[in-house]
Amino acid sequence: MGALGEAPIFNFPDSACISDQSEGRVLSLLKTFREFVSKLEQAGGGGVPWGGLNYLDKKALACASEVCSSARWFPKYGCGVIVLPMPGGLRLLEVGLDEFKFATHGGPKGVEFFSSPSGWSVLPVGEIAEDSADNLWEEVEERLREAASVPRDKRHAANAESHQKTPSFILSLLQNAIKTVNNLGEDRAILSKEERREDDKKPRGGFTDVGRHTGGEPRHTSWPLVLATVEAAVT
């Protein structure tokens, strides 16, 4: 359990309130989960329960571990993307943190206020050919860089270049990227940004913006996101 020291989960009284959105923390926590599942698989045999888990429970956790290992993570946007194989291609599902609620934390700095998600939602993203996956993630990274470069005074929902730190923003970005790659393929490299974006759809909203606001701390998403994705993969 050494990775837990590097990737905090709980707001213990002797530590400051957690506010972590790094992909490195997500991967560290995921590594700990995968090691735990590996130990479960080695313990017991057949239908013998271990820690209240039977054989089928352990198989479900093992499958969830594999699903999470191929997921794409967007902790700064409060979501992750599960990538599932299907005949002739890949199916993408987004897991978005939802239902943030107010809470308090007593620590070395006194009483701190924060909010944490009490639920999550799974949203269908779309499908893509397996041999187009690299092109898709290149398109996604390009779009994220463009969004991050938009001046703050233009980052409004009504603006064509809006940039919100929400699962719905990533959902829209992914769906637009899939459309671009599926329709244009390698030709997307020779077209202008305007030509590739002319039919883009805007985010629908409906999720909490997990970014930093008016100097405040961003919401803690690393562990909630790993937990939500594991739960989604199991169910």
Side-chain angles (χ1 to χ4, degrees):
M1 302 297 284
L4 294 181
E6 302 170 2
I9 295 176
F10 301 111
N11 286 307
F12 289 117
D14 62 343
S15 63
C17 190
I18 302 170
S19 180
D20 194 294
Q21 295 186 343
S22 68
E23 186 175 354
R25 296 292 192 190
V26 169
L27 295 177
S28 179
L29 286 163
L30 182 61
K31 179 175 180 290
T32 299
F33 170 69
R34 288 176 59 82
E35 290 173 350
F36 168 71
V37 171
S38 178
K39 295 293 185 183
L40 277 182
E41 293 182 296
Q42 297 170 19
V48 179
W50 186 93
L53 301 175
N54 60 32
Y55 174 75
L56 293 179
D57 294 329
K58 291 190 287 185
K59 292 297 290 184
L61 285 173
C63 289
S65 177
E66 288 303 312
V67 168
C68 289
S69 69
S70 62
R72 296 282 177 146
W73 305 98
F74 302 89
K76 293 181 179 179
Y77 297 83
C79 63
V81 178
I82 293 174
V83 182
L84 300 175
M86 53 173 280
L90 302 170
R91 176 176 291 121
L92 277 60
L93 301 172
E94 181 184 87
V95 180
L97 299 179
D98 204 359
E99 302 175 19
F100 278 81
K101 293 185 177 181
F102 172 85
T104 59
H105 168 65
K109 296 182 180 179
V111 178
E112 298 178 85
F113 302 130
F114 70 103
S115 64
S116 60
S118 57
W120 47 266
S121 298
V122 176
L123 306 171
V125 178
E127 299 174 357
I128 193 163
E130 189 169 2
D131 59 5
S132 297
D134 289 342
N135 289 337
L136 171 63
W137 297 119
E138 287 176 7
E139 180 73 16
V140 168
E141 290 299 322
E142 180 181 335
R143 287 170 176 263
L144 283 174
R145 286 194 298 270
E146 290 175 2
S149 67
V150 175
R152 290 184 179 276
D153 60 349
K154 294 184 178 180
R155 296 181 184 181
H156 302 295
N159 193 296
E161 297 181 293
S162 62
H163 184 206
Q164 297 89 43
K165 299 298 182 71
T166 65
S168 51
F169 177 82
I170 292 297
L171 176 65
S172 174
L173 186 147
L174 284 166
Q175 290 176 333
N176 288 330
I178 287 174
K179 179 203 65 181
T180 296
V181 171
N182 283 343
N183 291 347
L184 302 178
E186 297 295 340
D187 290 340
R188 68 189 179 89
I190 63 176
L191 296 177
S192 68
K193 169 187 170 183
E194 290 72 22
E195 290 174 312
R196 300 201 313 271
R197 308 285 196 268
E198 59 182 359
D199 295 325
D200 278 5
K201 294 182 179 180
K202 294 182 180 179
R204 287 182 173 271
F207 284 87
T208 299
D209 191 316
V210 301
R212 185 188 300 271
H213 298 280
T214 59
E217 291 294 331
R219 289 168 173 80
H220 177 52
T221 60
S222 56
W223 170 241
L225 185 53
V226 171
L227 181 59
T229 307
V230 169
E231 290 180 351
V234 168
T235 56

